[in-house]
Amino acid sequence: MRGLTLHRRAVHAVLAVLTLVGVFVLTAAAPARAGENTFVEVTPNTAQAGTRVNVRASCDNANNQQATVHSDAFGRVVLRPDNGFLTGAVTVPGNKQPGDYPVDLRCANGNTASTMLTVLNMAQPSKGPATGGGGTAGDRGSGSLLLVGGLAVMAVAAGLGVFGGNRRRTRPGA
């Protein structure tokens, strides 16, 4: 009987230690409330150099105050309150080198957030590709000549059809 009591005491001691460790871990690992809803997003997040991007952010409970966004892609932008969020727009300079650029948000309440903007800098063609000429690509007069010639061939074919049809009807006894 004595062994059974000793065994129960040991089990109770282990459970007490585990309970204390659990309480300590849960209280130490409680998530911080500040900054829980702090974010920044750039739309589109992949943009051609020279195009405009929109920035939308949230500074948790401080969305009624201005905030700033900074990036090497476009510099510093002030975000203003807009329907519960902070918004702004900026144009990526046309000569910006392609690459990934961090976009960093700084809120008035001290919260921060970050996202990434990918800048593309593809050369824009100045005119259409030289794909070779078709039958009408050379000089200006050949397209009109082909059109007139095609209409003339169709008129002759229609005339022959009408003339041939009338001839059969006028023949007696056929």
Side-chain angles (χ1 to χ4, degrees):
M1 188 62 117
R2 185 179 155 129
L4 188 58
T5 305
L6 187 60
H7 181 63
R8 283 186 184 163
R9 282 187 185 168
V11 168
H12 286 289
V14 169
L15 287 175
V17 169
L18 287 176
T19 302
L20 287 174
V21 169
V23 168
F24 177 74
V25 168
L26 289 176
T27 57
R33 297 290 300 161
E36 190 173 282
N37 294 318
T38 302
F39 68 87
V40 61
E41 60 187 21
V42 179
T43 307
N45 62 356
T46 300
Q48 172 70 24
T51 61
R52 193 164 184 83
V53 295
N54 295 311
V55 182
R56 186 176 87 128
S58 175
C59 287
D60 201 17
N61 293 325
N63 286 344
N64 58 347
Q65 301 173 26
Q66 293 182 352
T68 59
V69 171
H70 180 269
S71 177
D72 289 339
F74 50 74
R76 183 177 175 269
V77 176
V78 175
L79 303 180
R80 291 182 170 70
D82 182 23
N83 292 326
F85 293 100
L86 299 167
T87 61
V90 64
T91 300
V92 178
N95 61 352
K96 184 54 65 181
Q97 292 297 314
D100 292 333
Y101 293 91
V103 177
D104 299 316
L105 169 70
R106 272 206 197 283
C107 300
N109 62 3
N111 290 353
T112 61
S114 185
T115 190
M116 196 67 70
L117 171 64
T118 301
V119 175
L120 306 175
N121 198 345
M122 300 183 297
Q124 299 294 326
S126 60
K127 61 180 183 176
T131 59
T136 61
D139 51 9
R140 291 183 178 256
S142 62
S144 299
L145 183 62
L146 287 175
L147 179 63
V148 170
L151 289 173
V153 168
M154 289 181 62
V156 169
L160 289 175
V162 169
F163 177 71
N166 282 342
R167 220 171 125 164
R168 286 186 196 158
R169 287 188 204 145
T170 56
R171 223 184 218 172

